[in-house]
Amino acid sequence: MDLKETCISSEPIYEGSFIRISRDQIRLSNGKESQRMVIRHPGAACVLAVTDNDEVVLVRQWRYAADQAVLELPAGKLDVAGEDPAECALRELAEETNYTADSVKLLHTFYTAVGFCDEKMYLYQADGVRVGSTLSNDEDEITETVLLSREEVKAALKNDEIKDAKTLVGLQYWLMNS
């Protein structure tokens, strides 16, 4: 079955520092026309970093859109076109926490909100995780580093304390594959 939708025209609605929003007129696979609102995003990377004590490195930060502090894997958007997501993951770990890593390995890629946004998330696992970052947050970010054991993660999941999709994906991977 052919499901492809084809763009007929695109009207820019908003262009910001890193996202663009457009209203697209499309042709459905059945020949009919419809509209789609689309958010274009440069992509992002997140990192599953586990210490030698088998604790996952998370950050708690205020998320204005959710109107609450959220517990998350360290993550951030790709800063420049063509930026290597692995470098982004290492940078975000070092900026948002006091941890660094020797390297990262790609675990999975996924879309964060495929119904209206093309943001592609790259989930990495860090190797050689250790304290020692000399980087700091961007000036508009305030984060708190949180270390959780497997049992603490399971309890947080059971108590609905982790609501961020990329973090749910990464933590489920960690719990299932270790």
Side-chain angles (χ1 to χ4, degrees):
M1 177 183 223
D2 180 19
L3 299 174
K4 183 165 176 61
E5 298 177 354
T6 306
C7 182
I8 298 168
S9 64
S10 184
E11 173 190 357
I13 303 296
Y14 172 80
E15 186 156 344
S17 61
F18 69 93
I19 64 166
R20 294 185 334 259
I21 303 173
S22 64
R23 180 182 298 116
D24 292 359
Q25 188 70 22
I26 61 145
R27 185 172 327 292
L28 302 170
S29 59
N30 64 7
K32 295 183 180 182
E33 290 186 15
S34 189
Q35 283 190 355
R36 300 284 187 257
M37 294 293 291
V38 182
I39 298 173
R40 301 290 180 195
H41 187 283
C46 61
V47 60
L48 175 63
V50 179
T51 69
D52 288 340
N53 293 332
D54 203 34
E55 294 176 310
V56 67
V57 179
L58 300 171
V59 295
R60 182 176 286 119
Q61 63 182 319
W62 188 263
R63 290 302 193 173
Y64 182 80
D67 194 32
Q68 63 183 289
V70 178
L71 201 53
E72 305 176 44
L73 292 176
K77 69 177 177 56
L78 303 178
D79 278 344
V80 293
E83 180 181 16
D84 180 354
E87 290 177 17
C88 177
L90 286 166
R91 180 187 71 241
E92 292 298 328
L93 176 65
E95 283 180 359
E96 294 184 354
T97 75
N98 57 338
Y99 286 84
T100 62
D102 294 331
S103 62
V104 291
K105 172 180 76 172
L106 183 65
L107 297 177
H108 199 64
T109 60
F110 55 94
Y111 292 100
T112 59
V114 74
F116 60 87
C117 183
D118 69 353
E119 179 186 22
K120 188 181 213 178
M121 180 67 65
Y122 298 82
L123 170 61
Y124 287 90
Q125 184 166 20
D127 293 315
V129 176
R130 64 191 176 286
V131 173
S133 172
T134 58
L135 298 180
S136 58
N137 277 324
D138 294 337
E139 64 181 39
D140 64 345
E141 284 183 316
I142 301 169
T143 59
E144 171 190 14
T145 301
V146 177
L147 301 178
L148 294 181
S149 68
R150 288 175 193 279
E151 291 309 311
E152 290 169 324
V153 165
K154 289 176 186 176
L157 292 170
K158 183 178 179 182
N159 296 326
D160 200 28
E161 295 171 18
I162 299 173
K163 299 178 181 296
D164 174 64
K166 69 183 174 301
T167 304
L168 291 168
V169 171
L171 292 177
Q172 291 294 338
Y173 177 88
W174 182 51
L175 294 173
M176 290 174 45
N177 291 292
S178 300

